[in-house]
Amino acid sequence: MVTADTQAALAALTATYTSTLSFYLNAQRVSLEVPDPTITLLEYIRSTGLTGTKLGCAEGGCGACTVLVQSWEDGKVVSKSVNACIAPLISVDGKHVVTVEGIGNSTAPHPVQERIAIMHGSQCGFCTPGIVMSLYALLQQNPEPTEAEVEECWDGNLCRCTGYRPILDAGKTFATGCGRAGGCCRDKKKADANGIGNGSGDSTPVKNDKVDGNGLLDGEVDFTSKPKKAPATSPSPSDKTNCCRTTPSNPKQPPPSTPAFALYEPSKDLAFPAKLMNFTPSALAFGTPTRRWLRPTSLDELLKIKAICPSAKVVGGSSEVQIEAKFKGVNFAVSVYTGDISELRTAEFAEEGLVVGANITLSSLEGVLDEACEHFGEKGSAPYRALLKTLRGFAGRQIRNVATPAGNIATASPISDLNPVLMATGSKLVMESVNGGTSECYIRDFFKGYRSTALEPEAVITKLVIPASKEREWVQSYKQAKRKDDDIAIVNAGMRVRLGGGNVVEEIDLCYGGMAPTTVAAKKTMAFLKGKVWGEKDVLEGAMKSLEEDFNLPFGVPGGMPIYRKSLAFSFFFKFWSEVTTAMTGTAVEDDDLPHAEITRNISAGWRDEETPNDGNNAIVGKPLPHVAALKQVTGEAQYIDDLPRFSNELYGCLVLSTKAHAKVVRVDTDAALDMPGVAGYVDHTDLPSPEANWWGAPRCDEVFFAVDEVFCAGQPIGFILADTKAHAQAAARAVVVEYEELPAIFTMEEAIAQDSFFPHYRFIKRDGDDMDGAFAKADHVFEGVARMGGQEHFYLETNAAMAVWKPEDGEMDVYSSTQNPTETQTYAAKVTGVPANRVVCKVKRMGGGFGGKETRSVQLSSICAIAAKKMKRPVRCMLDRDEDMATSGQRHPFLSKWKVGVNNDGKLVALDADVFCNGGWTQDLSGAIVERALSHIDNVYYIPHVNVRGRVCKTNIHSNTAFRGFGGPQGMFICESYMSEIADQLNMSVDRLREINFYKEGQKTHFNQVLEDFHVPQIYEQIKVEADYDERRKAVDEFNKTHRWRKRGLALIPTKFGISFTALFLNQAGALVHIYHDGSILLAHGGTEMGQGLHTKMCMVAAEELGVPLENVHISETATNTVANTSSTAASASSDLNGMAIKNACDQINERLKPYREKLGPDATMKQLATAAYFDRVNLSANGFYKTPTVGYEWGNENSKPMFFYFTQGAAIAEVEIDTLTGDWKCERADVKMDIGRTINQAIDYGQIEGAFVQGMGLFTMEESLWLRHNGNLFTKGPGAYKIPGFRDVPVSFNLSMLKGVPWKNLRTIQRSKGVGEPPLFMGSAVFFAMRDAIKSARKDAGNTGLLALYSPATPERIRLACTDEITERAHVNAKEKEHNWFIQP
C-alpha cells in the first residue's frame, strides 16, 4: 500500500509528466487522454473491435496474441513480435502497433496470409493470426530470412491442430536458404512462353498485365509443374530443379507440387508512420489512486521515483509482472515502465569485457553477444558463446523481444536461465540509487534466498558487466526442460574452469539452477577441484562424490523429480568435464560419441504423396482444396465466441471454483464481492428452478452445475460472479470467501483400486475366455506386466466460451457456445431455465479447436451462463482463462492395465487376460464408453484366440475426465503394444517379427466377434517398410548404437486399426438441410460442427459435387439447433460419414425434382437457371436429409450381436529418434505415416488431420504430463508455462505421409467411399515412444542392465534418463523416508 504522503510526493515529482498516451494502430493515430492503467495491449486492441488478435493463455506462452510493435531507433525502424496479452499499454507509447487486420483482408491478403491459407496452414484458425504476425514481424526486420530464422520466429507460438508442417512449408517460401541465393524461386514471375529471362539465370519475367496461358494473373507464381530434368552440369541456385519444394525428404518419392501465390514485395507492406520518426518520448504518468503507471525517460527520473516510492514495481518486459497480477492477484499500486530509458539499453566493449545496460532486451543482447564474440576473439569470447547458447533456448521470440537481463536477474527465480551462466563467469551488477549512489555486486553474492536479493528497495540495476575469458579458460551452459523451445528449465547450469600448468585447476565455478531455492554454486565440488589435475579419473570420481554432498535432495523436494534433478546435475558436470578434457588433450572434436555432444536439429522438411486413391471421376471431391474459411482465419476475420459484438447491457461472468479436492462447504460469503465496482450479481445452485435442474451429465446425470454443501475436486464450480467487465468479475470472484472442512481424497488409480473406489460401470469382453487357465497352461510361455499411461490436456487454443442471450418473450434464449454438441447444449440450457427445448437455440459458428474436450464439458459453462442470463434478464458472456479451463474441463483419461499373455515359442499369441482401469475423476462423464473402446482396441491388429479383458472406471477427486481424440482407443492400443514389446524382449525376438506373425487375416473375427473386412494392415505394413527403407535403416540404427555410448537411436514401426462408429447406437444418425435460392446459391446446414477439422469444407464439397455446382455456390452459415434438430455430437471420426450421407440424401431429393429441368434446359444449364425455372413452377427447392449408419448395433455381453463398428481406418507409422542418454533429451529424426482412409474427400484436409493427430499423439506419449500438487490436490500443470505441448521444432525433422492406393474397398459403403480420419492417426504418434524404448534398450545394454524394460507413458526426458540406468543414476538415487511423498501426483 502506498501512503498518502508518498502519493503526494509522487504527484509533485510527476506534475510535469504528460498523461496522454499516443501511438499508431495499423497506421492510424491513437491518442488516449486518460488511459486505463489496468488493461493490457491486447485488451485495448480487442476493445476497438480488432478481434483478430486472440487471448490464448494470458501468460505469453502460446503466441495467439502476437502483434508487431515497431519503433524508430537509431535512425531506423525496429520491428518486433510481441505478446500483447502481457504487454502493458504504456509500453507502446510512441510506437506503431500492427495487428493481423492491418496487413491484409480476405479479399486482398498479405502474401504471408495467402500462403499460409492456400498451403493448408490453418485448421481451427484461432492460433493463426498470431502465427501470421510472427512471420510478418520477421519479414519486417529481415525481408530475406534464412530457413532457420523462419523456424525460429515461431518458437513462441503454439498450434494444436496442424502438426506445424504446412505452416513451416508456407513460411519457408520466404526464405533465402530454400534453394536459391537471394530469395525463393517462386517469388519470381514466370518467363514468357519462349523462356526468355534476364540472362542471369534468374527467372524474372517480362511485365504482363494479362492472364497468361497458364491461367495465372500477373504477379502470381506457378509452381504446380513438375521439375525439369536435371542438367548435365550442376544447376544454378536459381534453377527450379534445385528448389527445396521439389526435393522431397523421401528421395524415393516424386516431388510435391505447390500452389501458385502472389509475389511478396516488401515495399508494399504497411508503412511505418513518418511522424513517429520524429517522436521524442516524454515522461508519462496516469492512473487511479489504486493503480498508477509512470514512464520516466531518463535514469535520473527513475531514481527519483524509486527514492520517493521504493515499493514501486520496476517493469521492463512485463513477462513476470503481468503473470503475478493476472494469476496471483497482486496489485502493484505504482508501476514504473523503464523500456524507453536509453541509458539502460547501452552496450560497450571495455577492458574487462562486455558492459551492457541492464534494460537491453534479450533479443538485442543476442546481437551484442554476436559482436562480442567477434571483438574478443576465440580466447576471450567463451562467456558470450555460452550466453548465446542460453538465450537461444530462452522463452519464445516474443518474450526475448521485450524481456531484459535486469528483470530476469532481479526476479531471482531459482530456475533462471541467465543466472547460472552469469554467476559462473564472475559477472557483476552495477546498481544505483539517489541516496546510495553507485555500487557493484557480483552475481554470486546477489541472491539471498528464495526470490530475495541484495538489491535495496530504492535502487535499480543499471548495468551488467560480463568479463571476457582468459587463456585456457572454458565456459559452458546447460539446460534441460520438457521441450526444447520456450520452456522453463528443470535444471540448468553455468560452468567455468581455468587451467594452469599441468592442467591444474586454478579457478572453477559450477553454478546450478533448479537445485535449490536460489541459483547456487556447488561449493564443495569447487573446493575439491581447485588445485587438482583436470582430466584424471580419480579427480572425476572425487568431484562426483562431492556433487552428491552438494545436492542431497530429499524425496519430497519442492518441484519434485529429485532423482532426475540430481542426475542432471551430475550429467552436466560430466559433459563439461568431457568437453574440457577433449579440448585440452586435442581429441578430435568431430568425434560425435563424446559425452558432451548434444542433440541438434536440422531444418525440418516433409513430403506428401499427392497421388490420390480416387478414380478421378469427380469434379470437386478428392481435390486438395483449402479450408473454406482459411482466408478469413489468416486475416483475423473469422469470428469465435468472444469475438461476437458486445451487447450494451451485457454482463461478464467469472466462476468461483473450489480450491479443495474434497471438502464440505461450510460457508460461502459473497458480501465483499457484491460491493465491488461493477458487480451486478451472483449465481449459485439456489438460482435453479429445482434441485433436480442442478444435475447434468452424459450419459449418467451424476454431476452438479454448482456445488451443494460438498465439493469433490479442486476446480468444481461453486458460484458465478456477474459484472460489467471481465476484470471486475474476476476481481470479485477472488473476493468470494469460501470456508471448507476438508475430507479424505483419492487421486490416483492405484489409490482407487486399493480403496475399491469405482463407478458402477463394468464391462468385459470374452472370446473363448471361460477356460483361461487351460489356455495359459497350453502356452509355452506366460508373461505378466503392467502398462500405464498418463492423461492429456486438450489444449484447444480457444478455451471454453459461451454467451447466453435472454429474450423477453416465452422464455426464449439464444446460446452461442464453443461446443461440439449443440443439441446437448440446448437440452441443458432448457432444463436449467425451466423451458421446453423449442425455446432455446444453440448456435455454433466455429470452434478454436475441440478434440473431444467440448463434446460434453462445454455444457457446464453454457448452462451456467443460461442460468445467469435468465436471472439477470441480460446477456451473459464468459470465456474461461486458460488456467480455469484446464482446472475445470477434464482431459484424456490416464489408464492402467495389469496384463497376462500366453505365447508359444514361435511367437504365436495364445491368450490375453487383462484388467483395465481408467481414472474417471469425480463423475462418470463419458468414462464408461471410453473404457469400452479401450477394451475393444486392446488387440490392436493382432489375432488372439483366447481373450478375457475387463474394464473399470476409478472414482477419484480430480476433475471429471472426458472425451479426447481417440476416445480410449489409443490407451487400449498402447496397452497392446506395450505387452507386445515386452513379450518380444523376453522371447529374444524382434518385435517387428512378433507383430507380423500375429496379424489378423481378412475374414477373421475380432475378440468382440466382428468379421474383419477390407483389412489392409499387412499390406500397409509391407509397403511402408519398403517406401521408408525400414530394413536398411534398422541396420543403420543398430550400427550407430554399436559405436555410440552417450547418444542412442531407436526405430519403431507401429500399426493400427481404429473402429469407426459411435458405440452408442442412437448417436449414429445425422440430419441436413439444403436450400437452393433462385439465384443459384445454396445454403447448407448439417448437424456437425466445425472445429478446424475441415468438416464444413468437406460437406460443401459433397453438396457441390452432388448438385453439380462450383464450390463457391455452397455456403454454410453456422450449425444451429433450429435448422437441424436432434444432432449427435461431432465426434468419433464419424461426422463426415454421417453428415455427408445426410447431405447426399437431401441433394438426391432436390436432384430428382430438378431432373425435368436439366432435361429441358440441357447439360450446360446453370443452377441459377434450373432453380429459377423450378421456382416459377412452384417446385420445392429445400430438402431435409437424413442418414443412419446401417449394420451396427453391438450389445455388450451378447456374442451374436451386430458389429460394433461400421469399418476400420487403418495405418502404420515408422519413427526414428535419437536420445541423449545423459539428459533424456531427444529428437524425432524422421517419421513416415501411411494410412488407409479410403477415397479421400479432400486430400489436403485429410493429410492435415494425419499430421496434426500424429504430432498430438507424439505429445501424448512423450512430453505432455499432467501433474497435481500433493499438498492441496490442485492441478499444477494448468497453462503453457507448466504444461508442454509440441512446438514448431518438436515435429519430426523429416515428416512423410502417404495414403493406401490400389485396393477396391469392396465393403466400404460411406460417402464417396471415404473413411474417418480425425482420430485414427493419433496412435501413430506412439511410434516415437516405442522408438525411444528401442533406443533406451541399447543404452541399458551398454550399461550392463539386462532387466526387462517396462516404460510408462509419457516418455518424458525424466523417464528416458532414469531408464538409461548407469553409474550416475545410481549415485542420484533418493530413497523416500517414512510418510515422505513426491511433490507431485500423477493420477
Side-chain angles (χ1 to χ4, degrees):
M1 179 66 69
V2 178
T3 66
D5 290 344
T6 299
Q7 288 182 354
L10 275 178
L13 176 67
T14 60
T16 59
Y17 287 21
T18 180
S19 62
T20 301
L21 189 66
S22 299
F23 59 97
Y24 280 75
L25 178 59
N26 295 332
Q28 301 297 312
R29 187 173 184 273
V30 176
S31 182
L32 302 176
E33 298 294 334
V34 186
D36 184 342
T38 66
I39 67 171
T40 62
L41 175 59
L42 175 65
E43 289 166 327
Y44 174 77
I45 289 170
R46 290 183 61 82
S47 73
T48 67
L50 297 173
T51 56
T53 309
K54 308 300 184 190
L55 177 66
C57 68
E59 58 181 84
C62 72
C65 64
T66 302
V67 297
L68 171 69
V69 175
Q70 296 178 308
S71 56
W72 185 256
E73 299 177 22
D74 301 322
K76 63 181 180 181
V77 178
V78 175
S79 300
K80 295 179 179 179
S81 55
V82 169
N83 290 124
C85 73
I86 59 173
L89 192 56
I90 198 171
S91 67
V92 297
D93 183 62
K95 300 178 178 67
H96 183 208
V97 179
V98 182
T99 71
V100 70
E101 295 95 339
I103 67 172
N105 55 56
S106 57
T107 56
H110 185 275
V112 168
Q113 296 168 320
E114 181 196 45
R115 295 184 192 186
I116 289 177
I118 65 176
M119 293 184 73
H120 316 290
S122 180
Q123 289 188 18
C124 84
F126 198 83
C127 66
T128 304
I131 286 169
V132 165
M133 294 311 296
S134 286
L135 179 56
Y136 181 79
L138 172 65
L139 296 177
Q140 295 308 293
Q141 193 68 10
N142 179 8
E144 296 187 348
T146 65
E147 287 192 338
E149 289 169 331
V150 170
E151 286 203 353
E152 186 270 345
C153 86
W154 284 312
D155 65 5
N157 291 84
L158 295 175
C159 172
R160 196 53 154 166
C161 296
T162 63
Y164 301 107
R165 179 76 267 136
I167 304 172
L168 288 163
D169 288 342
K172 288 172 186 174
T173 64
F174 295 94
T176 57
C178 67
R180 75 174 296 275
C184 178
C185 56
R186 280 176 289 170
D187 265 356
K188 302 299 179 183
K189 300 175 186 178
K190 287 176 63 70
D192 65 19
N194 296 316
I196 299 173
N198 59 12
S200 65
D202 206 337
S203 55
T204 304
V206 177
K207 176 75 174 177
N208 183 357
D209 292 331
K210 299 179 180 179
V211 176
D212 68 15
N214 294 299
L216 297 175
L217 292 173
D218 176 57
E220 288 188 324
V221 184
D222 180 14
F223 209 67
T224 60
S225 59
K226 298 295 182 184
K228 302 173 185 176
K229 184 178 179 181
T233 58
S234 298
S236 68
S238 61
D239 194 320
K240 284 189 180 181
T241 58
N242 194 37
C243 176
C244 67
R245 304 307 309 154
T246 59
T247 307
S249 58
N250 185 344
K252 286 192 170 187
Q253 302 298 342
S257 62
T258 304
F261 39 59
L263 174 69
Y264 174 50
E265 299 176 274
S267 62
K268 293 184 178 180
D269 287 343
L270 191 66
F272 183 78
K275 289 187 177 180
L276 289 180
M277 297 178 186
N278 300 314
F279 176 81
T280 301
S282 300
L284 271 169
F286 62 84
T288 66
T290 58
R291 185 75 188 274
R292 191 161 181 77
W293 272 102
L294 307 176
R295 196 278 304 275
T297 57
S298 70
L299 178 58
D300 181 63
E301 290 173 342
L302 172 61
L303 295 178
K304 288 177 179 177
I305 291 170
K306 286 292 284 182
I308 292 173
C309 184
S311 65
K313 186 68 173 179
V314 176
V315 179
S318 190
S319 56
E320 178 100 359
V321 171
Q322 181 58 29
I323 291 172
E324 290 179 331
K326 174 74 176 177
F327 297 105
K328 298 179 183 178
V330 179
N331 180 40
F332 300 107
V334 178
S335 299
V336 186
Y337 179 69
T338 59
D340 294 315
I341 300 176
S342 58
E343 298 148 276
L344 298 180
R345 302 199 310 267
T346 59
E348 60 178 318
F349 302 136
E351 184 175 347
E352 62 181 316
L354 174 63
V355 181
V356 295
N359 216 45
I360 189 172
T361 65
L362 297 184
S363 56
S364 297
L365 181 59
E366 288 180 81
V368 169
L369 289 169
D370 277 325
E371 294 176 21
C373 289
E374 185 175 346
H375 177 84
F376 289 99
E378 184 72 19
K379 183 184 78 173
S381 62
Y384 314 129
R385 295 195 302 272
L387 277 168
L388 272 171
K389 177 185 172 186
T390 298
L391 285 177
R392 285 165 184 163
F394 186 111
R397 172 55 63 188
Q398 297 94 319
I399 295 294
R400 296 196 297 278
N401 281 339
V402 297
T404 67
N408 188 258
I409 295 166
T411 55
S413 168
I415 51 173
S416 158
D417 286 345
L418 290 183
N419 289 339
V421 189
L422 295 174
M423 182 185 288
T425 55
S427 299
K428 61 184 177 182
L429 303 172
V430 177
M431 300 175 288
E432 295 187 40
S433 65
V434 169
N435 298 320
T438 301
S439 61
E440 294 183 349
C441 179
Y442 284 97
I443 297 285
R444 69 173 70 98
D445 302 321
F446 186 67
F447 305 110
K448 301 302 181 183
Y450 180 70
R451 302 282 185 170
S452 173
T453 70
L455 185 66
E456 295 296 332
E458 69 276 8
V460 296
I461 303 170
T462 58
K463 292 180 181 178
L464 173 63
V465 182
I466 311 167
S469 51
K470 301 180 179 66
E471 192 73 40
R472 290 180 59 76
E473 181 173 313
W474 287 268
V475 181
Q476 190 53 274
S477 65
Y478 302 94
K479 174 182 176 178
Q480 186 58 51
K482 291 184 178 180
R483 188 177 69 197
K484 273 286 189 184
D485 287 335
D486 194 11
D487 195 2
I488 57 176
I490 298 168
V491 175
N492 50 25
M495 300 186 183
R496 181 186 70 91
V497 66
R498 188 163 70 84
L499 302 180
N503 296 325
V504 173
V505 177
E506 293 187 349
E507 297 178 15
I508 180 76
D509 285 284
L510 306 172
C511 305
Y512 288 88
M515 298 300 294
T518 66
T519 303
V520 63
K523 293 181 179 179
K524 292 182 180 179
T525 310
M526 290 158 53
F528 169 80
L529 285 169
K530 197 162 186 180
K532 300 292 193 307
V533 177
W534 191 279
E536 294 186 353
K537 270 192 171 182
D538 61 334
V539 175
L540 173 61
E541 175 61 24
M544 286 292 193
K545 287 182 177 179
S546 298
L547 280 171
E548 290 183 56
E549 297 179 28
D550 278 315
F551 301 121
N552 185 23
L553 301 182
F555 188 80
V557 63
M561 299 181 280
I563 303 173
Y564 183 47
R565 285 156 68 182
K566 287 180 66 176
S567 295
L568 286 174
F570 301 165
S571 293
F572 287 163
F573 174 73
F574 182 48
K575 282 177 173 285
F576 186 58
W577 176 273
S578 167
E579 181 172 358
V580 175
T581 303
T582 300
M584 75 185 195
T585 59
T587 304
V589 177
E590 291 78 11
D591 185 352
D592 64 357
D593 189 38
L594 295 168
H596 61 269
E598 297 187 23
I599 290 178
T600 57
R601 281 178 62 95
N602 291 324
I603 301 299
S604 60
W607 170 83
R608 292 175 169 182
D609 180 4
E610 295 180 355
E611 183 182 344
T612 74
N614 296 30
D615 54 21
N617 295 327
N618 295 324
I620 295 172
V621 167
K623 303 298 188 294
L625 302 177
H627 195 293
V628 290
L631 281 172
K632 292 191 281 288
Q633 290 168 185
V634 296
T635 55
E637 295 173 13
Q639 284 200 326
Y640 303 82
I641 295 298
D642 204 41
D643 301 334
L644 296 173
R646 264 59 179 166
F647 288 86
S648 60
N649 63 337
E650 179 180 299
L651 293 173
Y652 202 98
C654 182
L655 291 170
V656 177
L657 300 175
S658 165
T659 60
K660 303 297 181 183
H662 189 199
K664 291 181 179 179
V665 178
V666 177
R667 183 175 70 95
V668 178
D669 187 347
T670 61
D671 290 348
L674 293 174
D675 286 339
M676 294 178 72
V679 176
Y682 175 77
V683 173
D684 65 9
H685 67 94
T686 62
D687 293 297
L688 284 108
S690 68
E692 292 73 26
N694 195 30
W695 290 90
W696 72 286
R700 305 282 181 182
C701 201
D702 64 346
E703 185 168 354
V704 289
F705 289 112
F706 293 115
V708 182
D709 300 331
E710 189 173 350
V711 292
F712 297 91
C713 76
Q716 183 180 346
I718 295 173
F720 197 49
I721 282 283
L722 300 161
D724 56 350
T725 67
K726 181 176 182 178
H728 283 154
Q730 290 181 328
R734 285 193 292 268
V736 174
V737 176
V738 183
E739 291 183 8
Y740 303 93
E741 179 184 317
E742 291 198 60
L743 298 170
I746 297 171
F747 297 105
T748 70
M749 292 177 284
E750 290 83 354
E751 291 170 355
I753 293 167
Q755 299 182 47
D756 198 32
S757 179
F758 298 109
F759 289 103
H761 189 94
Y762 171 74
R763 293 296 193 200
F764 65 89
I765 299 176
K766 281 186 179 183
R767 185 197 8 222
D768 295 331
D770 290 332
D771 185 19
M772 295 301 291
D773 291 340
F776 283 119
K778 293 176 183 178
D780 295 328
H781 304 276
V782 176
F783 301 116
E784 297 185 54
V786 175
R788 197 188 201 282
M789 64 180 290
Q792 183 181 30
E793 165 59 33
H794 301 87
F795 215 98
Y796 28 67
L797 266 292
E798 181 199 27
T799 59
N800 273 291
M803 180 169 68
V805 182
W806 175 82
K807 296 182 177 182
E809 293 186 37
D810 301 321
E812 289 187 329
M813 183 176 289
D814 287 345
V815 179
Y816 300 84
S817 179
S818 182
T819 183
Q820 296 170 236
N821 202 338
T823 292
E824 195 160 309
T825 301
Q826 173 197 34
T827 299
Y828 278 106
K831 179 179 179 180
V832 298
T833 55
V835 298
N838 64 0
R839 312 296 169 85
V840 176
V841 178
C842 176
K843 299 183 178 184
V844 183
K845 185 77 171 180
R846 62 175 58 83
M847 285 166 273
F851 314 114
K854 297 174 181 177
E855 184 176 347
T856 59
R857 305 311 299 172
S858 58
V859 172
Q860 182 181 65
L861 182 64
S862 61
S863 300
I864 288 174
C865 286
I867 297 165
K870 180 187 178 184
K871 177 179 179 177
M872 305 303 295
K873 293 183 170 48
R874 295 167 67 174
V876 172
R877 178 193 307 252
C878 180
M879 179 179 178
L880 297 181
D881 278 350
R882 178 65 57 187
D883 61 321
E884 295 171 320
D885 188 279
M886 293 179 76
T888 62
S889 64
Q891 54 184 240
R892 186 188 299 279
H893 292 68
F895 263 70
L896 173 70
S897 177
K898 300 176 181 180
W899 55 263
K900 179 180 178 182
V901 176
V903 60
N904 287 334
N905 289 327
D906 61 0
K908 277 284 188 179
L909 299 175
V910 175
L912 166 66
D913 185 271
D915 285 298
V916 177
F917 306 93
C918 75
N919 193 329
W922 79 278
T923 66
Q924 289 195 67
D925 194 78
L926 298 172
S927 301
I930 287 165
V931 81
E932 289 172 7
R933 186 170 281 260
L935 294 179
S936 69
H937 285 68
I938 201 168
D939 61 334
N940 196 7
V941 295
Y942 312 114
Y943 176 76
I944 309 173
H946 302 274
V947 176
N948 188 349
V949 291
R950 302 159 297 278
R952 299 296 302 271
V953 180
C954 297
K955 184 175 183 179
T956 62
N957 295 111
I958 64 171
H959 54 209
S960 188
N961 287 321
T962 190
F964 196 149
R965 194 180 205 165
F967 203 77
Q971 292 97 319
M973 290 184 282
F974 174 78
I975 294 167
C976 176
E977 293 302 335
S978 293
Y979 66 66
M980 292 293 285
S981 297
E982 293 186 28
I983 290 169
D985 289 349
Q986 292 176 93
L987 291 177
N988 197 26
M989 174 187 288
S990 160
V991 69
D992 297 325
R993 180 62 184 145
L994 182 67
R995 291 186 180 111
E996 292 170 357
I997 290 170
N998 290 286
F999 279 153
Y1000 277 113
K1001 295 179 176 60
E1002 178 86 10
Q1004 283 186 322
K1005 288 185 177 182
T1006 66
H1007 62 300
F1008 49 89
N1009 218 32
Q1010 179 164 342
V1011 176
L1012 284 176
E1013 300 174 330
D1014 294 325
F1015 185 68
H1016 300 131
V1017 167
Q1019 186 175 346
I1020 295 168
Y1021 198 83
E1022 287 305 314
Q1023 285 185 11
I1024 197 171
K1025 283 179 71 175
V1026 173
E1027 293 165 0
D1029 290 323
Y1030 182 77
D1031 291 336
E1032 290 302 312
R1033 288 166 60 197
R1034 176 75 267 172
K1035 294 175 185 176
V1037 165
D1038 292 342
E1039 189 59 34
F1040 179 92
N1041 289 340
K1042 288 177 185 177
T1043 57
H1044 289 74
R1045 171 69 181 87
W1046 310 109
R1047 287 187 297 137
K1048 294 291 184 180
R1049 290 181 181 168
L1051 189 66
L1053 198 174
I1054 300 295
T1056 189
K1057 68 167 174 51
F1058 189 91
I1060 304 296
S1061 286
F1062 287 98
T1063 50
L1065 179 62
F1066 69 92
L1067 294 174
N1068 293 291
Q1069 60 175 302
L1073 181 63
V1074 177
H1075 295 309
I1076 300 181
Y1077 297 93
H1078 45 78
D1079 66 351
S1081 64
I1082 297 160
L1083 182 64
L1084 172 63
H1086 62 89
T1089 55
E1090 176 62 52
M1091 63 189 100
Q1093 83 281 39
L1095 180 62
H1096 282 354
T1097 303
K1098 285 186 172 183
M1099 296 303 95
C1100 286
M1101 292 173 70
V1102 167
E1105 185 76 44
E1106 295 296 328
L1107 294 172
V1109 299
L1111 181 62
E1112 56 267 24
N1113 279 30
V1114 184
H1115 176 66
I1116 295 175
S1117 175
E1118 62 188 2
T1119 304
T1121 54
N1122 62 347
T1123 54
V1124 178
N1126 306 317
T1127 60
S1128 297
S1129 60
T1130 304
S1133 302
S1135 297
S1136 291
D1137 294 349
L1138 295 171
N1139 294 288
M1141 291 297 274
I1143 290 167
K1144 183 181 186 304
N1145 177 250
C1147 291
D1148 286 347
Q1149 297 173 46
I1150 292 175
N1151 281 331
E1152 186 63 28
R1153 298 171 200 162
L1154 292 178
K1155 186 176 180 180
Y1157 302 95
R1158 285 196 168 104
E1159 293 172 351
K1160 178 180 178 181
L1161 299 176
D1164 296 329
T1166 65
M1167 181 56 74
K1168 179 178 181 179
Q1169 293 170 321
L1170 295 170
T1172 300
Y1175 170 74
F1176 281 106
D1177 281 349
R1178 297 182 296 173
V1179 172
N1180 184 3
L1181 292 175
S1182 296
N1184 184 0
F1186 182 76
Y1187 173 77
K1188 62 180 181 180
T1189 309
T1191 71
V1192 296
Y1194 184 79
E1195 298 174 27
W1196 287 88
N1198 180 2
E1199 293 185 3
N1200 299 312
S1201 69
K1202 293 180 180 179
M1204 187 180 294
F1205 303 113
F1206 195 35
Y1207 60 87
F1208 294 91
T1209 296
Q1210 303 150 58
I1214 296 171
E1216 183 175 344
V1217 304
E1218 185 173 310
I1219 66 170
D1220 184 331
T1221 65
L1222 288 170
T1223 62
D1225 196 16
W1226 64 277
K1227 68 173 176 179
C1228 181
E1229 184 63 36
R1230 177 173 169 179
D1232 299 83
V1233 183
K1234 191 176 194 71
M1235 297 295 298
D1236 168 14
I1237 55 172
R1239 294 181 178 176
T1240 174
I1241 293 175
N1242 184 313
Q1243 185 189 55
I1245 283 176
D1246 286 345
Y1247 273 144
Q1249 287 293 286
I1250 295 169
E1251 288 168 334
F1254 181 93
V1255 171
Q1256 196 173 69
M1258 183 182 74
L1260 164 65
F1261 291 108
T1262 62
M1263 69 178 66
E1264 297 186 43
E1265 186 175 39
S1266 295
L1267 301 170
W1268 273 254
L1269 293 165
R1270 184 169 292 279
H1271 67 274
N1272 63 14
N1274 279 253
L1275 180 66
F1276 171 73
T1277 48
K1278 54 183 179 182
Y1283 186 86
K1284 296 301 171 182
I1285 69 171
F1288 275 85
R1289 288 190 287 193
D1290 294 306
V1291 299
V1293 179
S1294 175
F1295 198 2
N1296 310 304
L1297 306 181
S1298 62
M1299 297 179 182
L1300 179 67
K1301 301 182 289 289
V1303 296
W1305 294 290
K1306 57 186 178 182
N1307 297 297
L1308 189 60
R1309 300 177 298 280
T1310 58
I1311 185 72
Q1312 298 289 334
R1313 287 196 174 181
S1314 65
K1315 286 189 174 186
V1317 71
E1319 295 171 289
L1322 183 130
F1323 184 65
M1324 298 290 82
S1326 73
V1328 178
F1329 173 94
F1330 288 103
M1332 288 175 171
R1333 186 181 186 278
D1334 185 50
I1336 293 168
K1337 282 169 53 184
S1338 178
R1340 289 162 66 91
K1341 181 180 178 182
D1342 286 356
N1345 185 344
T1346 58
L1348 182 67
L1349 173 60
L1351 186 64
Y1352 292 169
S1353 174
T1356 59
E1358 177 187 15
R1359 282 207 172 99
I1360 294 171
R1361 175 62 186 104
L1362 297 186
C1364 294
T1365 53
D1366 55 22
E1367 292 183 4
I1368 289 177
T1369 57
E1370 290 176 10
R1371 287 182 184 276
H1373 188 74
V1374 179
N1375 290 313
K1377 297 177 182 178
E1378 188 177 355
K1379 295 185 178 180
E1380 188 178 25
H1381 299 284
N1382 201 312
W1383 185 256
F1384 293 123
I1385 301 169
Q1386 296 175 317

